[in-house]
Amino acid sequence: PAWNRLKGLIWDEWTTEMSGETDADGMFKFRGFYGRYNVETESGGKSVVSDIHVNKGSGNRFWMCVR
């Protein structure tokens, strides 16, 4: 029972999954937990996958460029 509760926390409550589109300035904002994120950015039929690290006490701004 404890393992099932922990598994539920990790995969259902502590995991951040989202998608969306950038605003007119090319910005996309989200709130998430500190840690590593795997981000896929798409534009013009091309995509780039990046790892970002959201850190406590940091501005946590990231730029992705799709060429």
Side-chain angles (χ1 to χ4, degrees):
W3 167 247
N4 289 335
R5 178 64 181 137
L6 178 60
K7 184 178 169 184
L9 285 170
I10 292 170
W11 292 106
D12 299 329
E13 294 185 37
W14 296 341
T15 298
T16 303
E17 290 189 31
M18 64 176 16
S19 63
E21 298 198 12
T22 58
D23 63 17
D25 296 323
M27 303 289 289
F28 179 78
K29 298 178 184 179
F30 80 98
R31 287 184 58 129
F33 295 102
Y34 299 125
R36 183 183 68 83
Y37 287 83
N38 186 268
V39 178
E40 181 176 5
T41 309
E42 299 178 8
S43 178
K46 297 179 181 179
S47 66
V48 171
V49 177
S50 305
D51 280 331
I52 63 171
H53 296 269
V54 176
N55 299 304
K56 185 175 183 178
S58 176
N60 291 308
R61 290 180 175 232
F62 306 95
W63 287 261
M64 279 61 165
C65 181
V66 180
R67 296 179 188 206

